[in-house]
Amino acid sequence: VQLVELGGGLVQAGGSLRLSCAGSGSIFSILAMGWYRQAPGKQRELVAYINIDSITNYAESVKGRFTISRDNAKNTVYLQMNSLKPTDTAVYYCAAGTTRMVAGDSPAAWGQGTQVTVSS
């Protein structure tokens, strides 16, 4: 599976962005998908993931602000980010694999990353 992310950019605090991740291959619909992020000088952290039954899981820091969703017909997963904070500034990476792999920081595939910068 190859993953291509779109949608990063610069936004003011309180604003919104939507990231998308398009996957290649017919197996997309049977994979769990997730988003990770890594801020400068910090460890990579799991932001959210969605499994093949569209059950979702979020980091506490983004609950109520971010929404992950998937469109299997388009082989695409989305991350809608609302009420953005400067602390959300990071490179965001799309990930794919089994649920265990995606939730455990060992996905089968990573996207190239997209920068999200939130100004105060």
Side-chain angles (χ1 to χ4, degrees), residues 29-115:
S29 63
I30 65 170
L31 296 175
M33 302 295 298
W35 289 94
Y36 279 77
R37 67 186 180 186
Q38 187 165 22
K42 294 188 176 181
Q43 287 191 328
R44 184 171 57 211
E45 63 172 346
L46 177 63
V47 176
Y49 68 86
I50 183 167
N51 72 6
I52 60 173
D53 297 316
S54 293
I55 295 172
T56 59
N57 187 280
Y58 296 91
E60 286 295 326
S61 59
V62 306
K63 277 184 180 178
R65 300 188 298 123
F66 291 10
T67 302
I68 189 170
S69 62
R70 66 191 298 160
D71 184 338
N72 291 335
K74 297 181 178 179
N75 282 4
T76 300
V77 63
Y78 303 96
L79 185 69
Q80 178 66 43
M81 305 184 293
N82 298 329
S83 302
L84 282 160
K85 305 175 181 180
T87 50
D88 294 317
T89 295
V91 177
Y92 283 70
Y93 297 91
C94 180
T98 65
T99 301
R100 181 185 293 255
M101 293 167 76
V102 171
D105 200 16
S106 299
W110 288 103
Q112 81 281 4
T114 185
Q115 177 71 46

